[in-house]
Structure formats: C-alpha cells, structure tokens
C-alpha cells in the first residue's frame, strides 16, 4: 500500500470539498438546520391541538359547545361535503356526525393521531369534568420524543452525507473523464478508494458530534452510556454508509443514474431505519428487512448508548454488524469499481 | 531475446467499436515496432486510429484482436502495476480536478507515481512556475496542455506516450518541449508521440509511421520517407486559367513524379529542377497559359503525407 498516495487522494478530496461552498453548506449546514427545525417542532411544549369538525345539523352548535370544553380540541362546524374533504386531506383528524342521541365519530384508525382524537372526543362527551385516571406527562430528559429523535437524526445524517458525498463525486469524476488519467498511474484502486474513504470519514465524524452536542446543549438530551462505544459506532456506521456509497457509484456512468440508485438505497432506510419512529417492534418480513439495515443498527445502538447507561459490550452486535457491512461493501466496491 | 531492443511491439492490432448495430473499425491489423531510445512519431488524418493505438499501448483501451507488448510485457497479465510505474502518459484530452492548483495536481500525481523528479523541476520543465498556485479553472488551454506534459514526465518514465502534446502550444513552448524531449531521449528514454505538425515530426522524430484507416501505410525516418517519394524537389506554380491545364499531360513531362492541382495552384514533385522546369515553361507557353507565380523548394514530410494519405490512396482504391 502506497500510503503517501492514499493521503494525497484524501487531500485532493478534502480540497475539492472545502473549495465548493455549496457542498459545505449541504453537508454541514443543512443537516444541522434540519436538526434544529425538527428539534424545535418536537421540543417539550404544550401538546398540539386536535382538529375536529362537527357536521352541520340542527344541534351542531350545542355539540360543538360540549366538545369545546376539552381544551385539547379545536372544533369547527362544517357542511358534510367540506368535512369529508377535510378529513380526506388530513386537515382535521376526525369528524363528528349527529344527531346528539346517536353520535358517530369518523376517523382513519391507521393514523395514530386519529385514535388520539377519538379519545379526546369521548372524554369531552363524558362531561367536561371527567378526567379518568390521573394523567402524568412524560417530560423527563431521556424519555421525550426529542431524545428519541436526536440519535436518529445523527444516523440519518451519516447515511445521507456518507452516501451522497462520495457517490456523487466519484460518478462525477468518472463521467467527466477525470479518472482516466489517474488510471494510467501506478495508483491502485484500493489506494484511491481508501483515500476517499479517509477524507469522508474525517468530515463525517465532526458533523455527527456537532449534531449530538447541539441536542445535548439545547434540549438536554442525555448521554448516559459509554462515549467510547458511541464513537466506535459512529465510525463503523460512517464506514458502512461510505462503503455503500462507493459500491453504488462503482460503475454508474452518469450523475443522474447514481442519484436514482442512491435514492433506491436510502428511501427504505428513511422509512424503516428507525430514525423517526421505532421499528424495533416490527416482526415478520418487514422486521427482518429493518434489522438488516445499517441505519437501524446504528440508530438503535446510539439510542442504547445515549438513553441508557450501556457500554461497549451491550452494543457488540451492532458493532460487528456494521463492521461486517462496511467490509463487505468495500470489498464488493473494490471488485466492481471502474475508472472509465 | 529478439524483442529486447523494442519498447513497443504491436502485432496485428485490431480495434472494433460496437454500439448497437453500428460498428467502427478503428484499427485494422496494425503492426508496429518502436525501438528503445528512439522518438517515434505517429502521423495520420483525423480518425486514422492514432489515439486508439496509443491508448491500447497505455492499457486504457483493450484491443479486439492482436498483441501489444509494452517494454516486453502485455497488459492484463498481472504486470499492469509494473508497466504503469515505467511509463508516462499525456492523453489527447486531459481533464483535471478543477479546484486544485497546478502544484497540488503535480503533488498528487507525484505521490501516485511514487518516484521521479521534484514538483519544482516538473514546473520548470514546462515553464509553469508562475502559474504554480493557480487553479485548473484559471489556466489557459496551452497552460493546461503544458501541465499535462509535465505530469507525463513527472515519474521520469522509460517510455513516454504523448498524444498531440503540442496542440495548442505557442511556437516558443513548442520548441521548448522539443528540447526537453531531446534531452529526455539522450538519457535513453523512448517516446511515442502523435502530431499533426509535419515540421515537428521532421525535426523531432527518429522514425515516423503513417497510419491511415487503422493500418500502417508508411514507415521510416523522415529522410527515408521523403526519398521514397522518388523526388525530393517540389515545383509550385499558378497560372491565369487552371482549367486549361491537364494533370495527365503534366505527369508526362520529364522528371515529374506526381502532380496535384488544388486551389488554383499546381504542385509537381520532381527529381531535378533543371530537367523539368524548361520543358514545363515551354509546355505552358505552347498552351498560352499565363504564368503568375513559380517557386521551387525541397520536398518535406508534408508532401509525403499528402502523397500517401491524400489523392494517391484514393486513386488506388478506386482503381
Ligand atoms: N469510444 C469510441 N466509440 C466509437 N468509435 C470510436 C471511439 N473512439 C474512437 N472511435 C473511432 O475510431 C476511429 C479512430 O479514432 P482515433 O481517436 O484513434 O483517431 P485519431 O487518429 O486519434 O484522430 P485525431 O487526429 O482526430 O485525434 C475514429 O473513426 C473514431 O470515430
Ligand atoms: Mg487522436
């Protein structure tokens, strides 16, 4: 292995990156912005209002008054057609149809917020003073949605920046015939790809640290487990995603082509990778698919380490999984890689 | 071993490009030997197959059939790394990483090559010191070309491939490159270059091969090639009404080897000026053609090139 050449390629990739202000923004600025926006959206605050429509009829106004006693509900009277349409478009979470003796609540049970609406409507109908069992808001740091979200965003960001950063550049260099000249030097593919990998890794890790630090400082997201273990997870996860990026870009001839392949790889992970909601409970084929995704392993391990006092031994499985995934994708990429 | 003295040995090289149903025969059984220590020039019209030949030698393109030996080795037989360490390449069109400076680009390739001269020496070789810290995107076409040449020489290779290295260079830079290449050759290195400048081929190359339609149609030193015309003087003249002249009749004049009428100008290649010119003048006078201009000069490679790739060839084909 010609290490000076590996470092020279790493430097090249570094400079190409930092001399493109827009690339720097989309890699560093954008994920951070996304974290901030999402973080503020889900930060602990008054729970959001549930929008409900009452279908216009003789006693609609009275019904409205009853429902409005529940402060969680925002109630409006709509004619039947508008109410139906609003429900279909998701502008309201449920609609209530009279007469008052025989009420119907219409909502899509597949939407989580619909069940919530049903519950709040029932509570209002039982009389404004009915509270049911005592309510306790879960607001301890480490148990809120934001605490769930921040590790997921770190994972998602590693996925996006890792894959796009390398796959896009490699394909662009190939399609612009920049790699042809390097090909006729004694530089080996392994040295070339390793150089790229190194430069990406050194860009990705600080990025994750920035997001984590932001969450911890601004929203008191806890870090209860081992930082060493978390660093290890971050590194192998970054390697996995960069490896996957190289693999996807190993033969693509055009930037458009590689963009399609990237989306094909990333979209399922956005949905099932457990960044926005937990997929640990999924079973069957879907569960198996989710568990086979590097993003799932990364997210779960990061959550274990941040939200619970866990250590290296507890994340041994994801650590091995991600290392294996990185090794496999890099090996495959090395075999498939084309210079021209 | 027989091929010990050869830097490049090409046997029956064929290259066919296929895209869908369309096939292009770029090389059609090309044989070529380049000896160690010589500067060899490949000439040929656009699309003749020069770049294809050179890129097969560089291992960039794989031939459809035939054999290519580079420094005694074949590509794709596990020797690629070794060959690459010993050759230097300047492609016909080289694109570099836009955001890198000249110096950074040289440093990158120096690291890849792993040995050779210093970056500063390479800069001096092509007089690019002033532009050392300019980015690729800020270079002129000729400056980029000079950088490409510098990169090819960086590893002090035994065998240098230069595909149209002087295209886009100003006369000074061109001459400077010739000097560099000669100095290079004196150290025992071999150069294979392509060019469209006949003067360059004539002063720089020890031997020349002319490629046409994927075949080698002439081979030899510039002097040999010129002598092969059978005539080393050229008579050029123009008359008031070119249409009054007839090529066939002029070829019958004493000592005339070939005749070409182009753009109102007649070019005759002749063995000896004094045996051809008096009868020519008499012949013109007899036809009442008014002589506007008459000049004689020594035949050059350009005359060989035109004779070999131009009219003659097409006449032979149609015959
Ligand atoms: N990638 C390709 N696909 C299809 N045809 C090609 C390809 N590359 C070259 N050719 C064809 O092969 C022939 C030889 O091309 P080549 O580039 O070797 O010519 P050349 O002698 O270098 O010409 P020039 O003086 O213009 O550089 C041409 O007819 C060209 O159209
Ligand atoms: Mg060419």
């Amino acid at each position: 292995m010609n290490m000076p050449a590996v470092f020279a390629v790493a430097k090249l990739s570094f400079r190409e990156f930092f001399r493109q202000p827009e690339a720097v923004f989309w890699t560093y600025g954008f994920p951070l912005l996304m974290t901030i926006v999402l973080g503020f959206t889900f930060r602990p605050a008054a729970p959001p209002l549930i929008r409900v429509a009452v279908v216009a009829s003789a006693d609609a106004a009275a019904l409205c008054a009853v429902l409005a006693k529940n402060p969680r509900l925002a109630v409006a009277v709509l004619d039947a057609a508008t109410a139906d349409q609003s429900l279909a478009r998701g502008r309201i979470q449920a609609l209530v149809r009279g007469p008052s003796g025989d009420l119907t609540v219409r909502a899509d049970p597949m939407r989580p917020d619909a069940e919530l609406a049903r519950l709040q409507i029932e509570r209002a109908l039982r009389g404004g003073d009915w509270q049911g069992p005592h309510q306790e808001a879960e607001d301890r740091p480490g148990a809120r949605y934001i605490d769930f979200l921040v590790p997921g965003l770190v994972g998602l960001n590693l996925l996006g920046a890792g894959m796009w950063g390398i796959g896009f550049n490699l394909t662009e260099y190939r399609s612009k015939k920049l790699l042809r000249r390097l090909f006729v030097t004694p530089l080996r593919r392994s040295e070339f790809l390793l150089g790229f990998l190194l430069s990406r890794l050194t860009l990705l890790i600080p990025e994750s640290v920035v997001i984590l630090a932001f969450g911890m400082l601004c929203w008191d997201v806890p870090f209860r487990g081992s930082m060493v273990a978390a660093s290890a997870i971050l590194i192998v996860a970054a390697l996995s995603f960069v490896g996957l990026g190289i693999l996807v870009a190993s033969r693509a001839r055009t930037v458009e082509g590689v963009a399609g392949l990237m989306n094909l790889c990333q979209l399922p992970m956005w949905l099932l990778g457990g960044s926005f909601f937990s997929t640990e409970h999924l079973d069957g084929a879907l569960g198996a698919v989710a568990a086979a995704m590097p993003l799932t392993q990364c997210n779960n391990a990061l959550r274990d380490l941040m939200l619970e006092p866990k250590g290296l031994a507890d994340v041994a499985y994801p650590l091995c999984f991600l290392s294996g995934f990185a090794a496999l994708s890099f090996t495959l990429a090395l075999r498939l890689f084309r210079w021209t | 071993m027989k091929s010990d003295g050869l830097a490049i040995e090409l046997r029956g090289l064929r290259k066919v490009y296929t895209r869908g149903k369309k096939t292009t025969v770029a090389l059609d059984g090309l044989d070529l030997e380049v000896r160690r220590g010589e500067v060899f020039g490949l000439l040929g019209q656009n699309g003749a197959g020069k770049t294809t030949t050179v890129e097969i030698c560089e291992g960039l393109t794989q031939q459809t059939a035939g054999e290519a030996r580079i420094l005694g080795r074949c590509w794709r037989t596990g020797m690629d790394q070794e060959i690459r360490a010993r050759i230097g390449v300047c492609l016909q069109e080289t694109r570099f990483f836009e955001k890198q400076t000249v110096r950074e680009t040289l440093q990158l390739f120096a690291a890849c090559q792993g040995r050779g001269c210093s970056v500063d020496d390479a800069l001096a070789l092509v007089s690019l010191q002033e532009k050392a810290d300019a980015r690729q995107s800020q270079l002129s076409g000729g400056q980029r070309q000079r950088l490409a040449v510098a990169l090819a020489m960086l590893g002090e290779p035994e065998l240098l491939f230069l595909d149209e290295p002087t295209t886009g260079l100003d006369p000074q830079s061109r001459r400077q490159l010739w000097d560099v290449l000669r100095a290079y050759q004196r150290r025992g290195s071999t150069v294979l270059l392509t060019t469209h400048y006949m003067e360059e081929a004539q002063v720089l190359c020890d031997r020349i091969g002319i490629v046409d339609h994927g075949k080698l149609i002439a081979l030899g030193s510039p002097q040999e090639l010129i002598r092969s015309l059978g005539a080393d003087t050229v008579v050029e003249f123009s008359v008031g009404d070119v249409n009054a002249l007839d090529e066939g009749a002029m070829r019958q004049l004493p000592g005339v080897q070939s005749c070409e009428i182009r753009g109102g100008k007649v070019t005759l290649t002749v063995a000896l000026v004094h045996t051809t010119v008096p009868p020519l003048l008499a012949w013109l006078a007899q036809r009442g053609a008014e002589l506007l201009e008459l000049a004689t000069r020594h035949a050059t490679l350009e005359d060989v090139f035109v004779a070999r790739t131009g009219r003659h060839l097409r006449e032979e084909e149609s015959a």
Side-chain angles (χ1 to χ4, degrees):
Chain A
M1 186 70 57
N2 174 358
M3 284 322 276
V6 173
F7 290 127
V9 172
K11 265 198 236 165
L12 159 86
S13 153
F14 248 126
R15 287 190 294 241
E16 285 283 309
F17 175 76
F18 280 111
R19 287 173 188 177
Q20 266 175 296
E22 63 275 23
V24 177
F25 170 76
W26 288 111
T27 311
Y28 279 117
F30 180 69
L32 202 59
L33 272 180
M34 191 171 85
T35 310
I36 295 170
V37 168
L38 282 173
F40 275 110
T41 313
F42 294 110
R43 80 188 186 283
L49 286 177
I50 299 155
R51 297 184 186 282
V52 172
V54 174
V55 178
S57 68
D59 46 5
L63 192 54
C64 225
V66 174
L67 289 176
K69 280 193 196 133
N70 184 339
R72 295 285 311 274
L73 294 177
V75 196
V77 179
L78 296 176
D79 64 73
T82 319
D84 261 346
Q85 200 186 15
S86 300
L87 185 63
R89 294 278 279 104
R91 289 191 197 103
I92 57 172
Q93 274 111 51
L95 67 79
V96 184
R97 209 186 297 131
S100 44
D102 182 22
L103 283 180
T104 307
V105 176
R106 184 176 165 80
D108 175 1
M110 286 306 286
R111 294 192 192 216
D113 51 1
E115 284 305 299
L116 189 67
R118 202 186 286 277
L119 190 77
Q120 296 293 346
I121 291 168
E122 280 171 14
R123 187 203 272 189
L125 292 174
R126 287 191 192 200
D129 51 346
W130 189 84
Q131 284 298 320
H134 288 290
Q135 304 286 321
E136 220 174 69
E138 176 60 277
D139 57 358
R140 296 165 299 152
R144 304 156 304 171
Y145 185 59
I146 184 82
D147 304 313
F148 180 87
L149 195 58
V150 166
L153 287 178
V154 169
L156 208 58
N157 190 55
L158 282 177
L159 169 74
M163 283 191 77
W164 283 110
I166 198 152
F168 198 81
N169 280 352
L170 273 185
T171 313
E172 195 189 5
Y173 295 159
R174 183 183 298 116
S175 74
K176 286 188 175 170
K177 297 192 173 177
L178 288 169
L179 300 183
R180 265 166 79 83
R181 183 58 186 80
L182 277 176
F183 173 64
V184 290
T185 68
L187 182 71
R188 292 182 178 85
R189 302 168 186 206
S190 52
E191 291 160 351
F192 176 70
L193 294 179
L194 195 64
F196 258 89
L197 191 81
L198 274 184
S199 87
R200 279 294 136 183
L201 206 59
T202 32
L203 290 172
L204 280 174
I205 301 302
E207 192 180 339
S208 308
V209 171
V210 168
I211 297 178
L212 282 179
F214 198 87
M216 288 163 71
L217 292 176
C218 291
W219 300 303
D220 290 326
V221 175
F223 203 118
R224 296 182 179 135
S226 151
M227 292 228 179
V228 175
S231 311
I233 287 286
L234 284 181
I235 290 172
V236 287
L239 284 173
S240 298
F241 298 135
V242 172
L244 192 59
I246 299 180
L247 180 60
V248 164
S250 59
R251 293 214 168 173
R253 282 176 197 276
T254 62
V255 172
E256 291 80 3
V258 84
L261 283 175
M262 293 262 175
N263 283 331
L264 190 70
C265 284
Q266 292 192 18
L267 203 66
M269 289 203 242
W270 274 77
L271 291 175
L272 292 178
S275 280
F276 296 107
F277 53 91
S278 172
T279 50
E280 280 172 294
H281 60 278
L282 288 179
D283 42 31
L286 222 51
V289 170
M293 289 176 171
L295 183 60
T296 312
Q297 297 298 335
C298 165
N299 284 344
N300 292 347
L302 275 183
R303 284 191 186 117
D304 279 351
L305 290 168
M306 289 177 68
L307 307 181
E308 294 176 51
K310 287 190 172 173
L312 211 50
D314 300 298
V315 293
Y317 174 73
L319 212 53
C320 292
F321 178 95
L322 290 170
S323 312
F325 191 95
L328 187 70
S329 53
F330 202 68
T331 314
L332 271 180
L334 255 185
R335 298 208 146 202
L336 293 176
F337 183 78
R338 287 235 179 105
W339 294 92
T340 50
Chain B
M1 230 168 81
K2 175 183 141 278
S3 55
D4 252 10
L6 295 180
I8 302 174
E9 199 181 347
L10 307 178
R11 298 255 171 271
L13 216 54
R14 245 181 98 72
K15 176 68 193 180
V16 182
Y17 288 104
T18 318
R19 177 160 288 169
K21 280 189 186 140
K22 219 177 138 238
T23 58
T24 312
V25 181
L27 291 183
D28 190 10
L30 183 124
D31 296 300
L32 183 67
E33 288 179 356
V34 175
R35 302 174 194 141
R36 279 184 204 247
E38 73 178 346
V39 177
F40 191 97
L42 270 186
L43 307 186
Q45 292 169 309
N46 290 141
K50 304 180 294 297
T51 298
T52 308
T53 308
V54 174
E55 289 194 348
I56 289 175
C57 294
E58 294 161 349
L60 258 174
T61 306
Q62 191 166 6
Q63 66 267 33
T64 313
E67 194 189 47
R69 269 181 192 282
I70 310 306
L71 300 168
R73 315 244 183 275
C74 293
W75 289 106
R76 287 166 275 267
T77 56
M79 299 291 200
D80 292 12
Q81 216 64 28
E82 190 209 314
I83 309 177
R84 286 198 189 106
R86 295 165 66 189
I87 63 171
V89 171
C90 172
L91 301 173
Q92 181 168 2
E93 182 202 21
T94 316
R95 311 255 314 251
F96 296 111
F97 299 91
E98 287 284 313
K99 304 277 188 301
Q100 310 290 305
T101 67
V102 169
R103 185 185 298 283
E104 288 162 355
T105 306
L106 283 162
Q107 281 163 345
L108 169 73
F109 280 85
C112 295
Q113 211 70 41
R115 59 165 194 157
C117 65
S118 76
V119 165
D120 287 310
D121 291 346
L123 279 171
L125 218 52
V126 293
S127 304
L128 266 184
Q129 297 97 321
E130 269 180 39
K131 290 284 167 186
D133 296 311
R135 293 202 190 163
Q136 292 301 325
S137 44
Q138 300 158 346
L139 295 185
S140 76
Q143 287 163 344
R144 280 173 196 239
Q145 185 62 26
R146 273 146 63 187
L147 173 61
V149 171
L151 288 176
M153 312 246 230
L154 202 54
E156 297 184 329
E158 282 168 57
L159 173 57
L160 196 54
F161 295 99
L162 303 169
D163 199 350
E164 297 192 25
T166 55
T167 299
L169 295 197
D170 59 53
Q172 280 98 324
S173 310
R174 183 169 301 152
R175 265 155 232 276
Q176 186 192 2
L177 181 63
W178 295 351
D179 291 339
V180 169
L181 289 181
R182 278 202 208 91
Y184 206 74
Q185 182 188 22
R186 256 177 261 128
R187 294 210 311 252
S189 301
T190 314
V191 181
L192 173 64
L193 62 85
T194 74
T195 181
H196 287 295
Y197 299 105
M198 296 302 139
E199 186 203 354
E200 178 167 295
Q202 199 158 354
V203 297
L204 192 59
C205 297
D206 299 311
R207 287 197 309 147
I208 284 165
I210 299 182
V211 184
D212 196 76
H213 290 92
K215 286 198 182 84
L216 197 71
I217 56 163
L219 178 74
S221 70
Q223 290 72 31
E224 282 166 356
L225 288 176
I226 292 168
R227 240 178 282 133
S228 75
L229 278 177
D232 60 3
T233 309
V234 175
V235 176
E236 286 169 331
F237 64 92
S238 54
V239 291
D241 179 16
V242 178
N243 298 330
L245 302 181
D246 143 42
E247 267 185 54
M250 278 190 286
R251 255 187 222 137
Q252 300 307 315
L253 291 170
V256 173
Q257 298 292 328
S258 73
C259 166
E260 190 194 30
I261 304 179
R262 185 173 291 179
K265 201 163 189 173
V266 183
T267 306
L268 303 176
T269 45
V270 306
L272 293 164
V273 181
H274 56 265
T275 52
T276 307
V277 172
L280 171 68
L281 294 177
W283 184 75
L284 288 173
Q286 182 196 328
R287 307 213 147 203
E290 184 199 359
L291 197 61
L292 298 178
E293 197 187 339
L294 175 73
T296 66
R297 59 173 173 83
H298 284 291
T300 64
L301 214 45
E302 190 146 352
D303 301 305
V304 180
F305 188 77
V306 171
R308 294 294 177 105
T309 62
R311 304 171 77 80
H312 282 309
L313 205 81
R314 267 170 240 143
E315 277 164 18
E316 277 163 27
E317 268 172 10
S318 58

